[in-house]
């Protein structure tokens, strides 16, 4: 498998992961404060998987944003953090930005993620 095939596989897998991530975050917001904690592992895993493959492909901005999301989701999964509506909105905004980064993978290094990273960092 060459690098172009790996990138194509990443795009396909990431679309599925992003659907899971966004759907679950929207669900968490809709049902807040009655969050289905059993979905937290699946949500964490989606961010973790995107981060890992993006790192392998040296997609720095995608990796950085996914890692920031993954950190919060891991803490929520492990019940080290209590979710707030503002936190969930920040995660959803980051997920939407992550979708744009993935959709424009080849030029993602030129996209600004400062606002999303700063917002997520306030919860760590």
């Amino acid at each position: 498998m060459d690098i172009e095939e790996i990138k194509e596989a990443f795009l396909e897998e990431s679309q599925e992961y992003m659907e899971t991530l966004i759907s679950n975050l929207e669900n968490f917001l809709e049902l807040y404060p009655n969050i289905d904690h059993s979905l937290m592992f699946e949500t964490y895993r989606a961010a973790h998987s995107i981060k890992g493959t993006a790192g392998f492909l040296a997609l720095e901005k995608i990796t950085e944003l996914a890692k920031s999301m993954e950190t919060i989701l891991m803490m929520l999964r492990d019940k080290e953090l209590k979710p707030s509506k503002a936190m969930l909105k920040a995660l959803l905004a980051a997920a939407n930005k992550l979708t744009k980064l993935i959709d424009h993978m080849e030029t993602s290094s030129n996209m600004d993620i400062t606002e999303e990273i700063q917002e997520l960092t306030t919860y760590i």
Side-chain angles (χ1 to χ4, degrees), residues 61-121:
K61 298 272 178 106
I62 295 172
T63 304
E64 183 180 357
L65 187 54
K67 181 174 176 37
S68 293
M69 295 177 68
E70 174 196 43
T71 300
I72 293 171
L73 291 166
M74 179 179 61
M75 295 172 81
L76 289 170
R77 178 200 68 190
D78 296 344
K79 298 184 179 182
E80 295 172 17
L81 277 179
K82 184 177 182 197
S84 69
K85 218 166 194 178
M87 178 193 301
L88 295 171
K89 286 179 181 179
L91 284 165
L92 185 56
N96 287 324
K97 182 63 158 251
L98 189 58
T99 298
K100 289 177 185 172
L101 289 167
I102 292 167
D103 288 346
H104 303 285
M105 178 174 63
E106 297 300 330
T107 59
S108 63
S109 63
N110 299 325
M111 297 176 80
D112 185 19
I113 60 170
T114 307
E115 184 179 328
E116 291 81 9
I117 296 293
Q118 287 177 342
E119 181 69 24
L120 292 175
T121 306

Side-chain angles (χ1 to χ4, degrees), residues 19-40 42-43 85 88 92:
E19 286 176 19
T20 297
L21 197 56
I22 289 171
S23 175
N24 286 356
L25 289 169
E26 288 173 342
N27 180 283
F28 295 157
L29 268 169
E30 184 179 320
L31 300 176
Y32 185 84
N34 300 315
I35 292 174
D36 181 354
H37 194 78
S38 67
L39 293 178
M40 197 58 72
E42 177 183 65
T43 311
K85 218 166 194 178
L88 295 171
L92 185 56

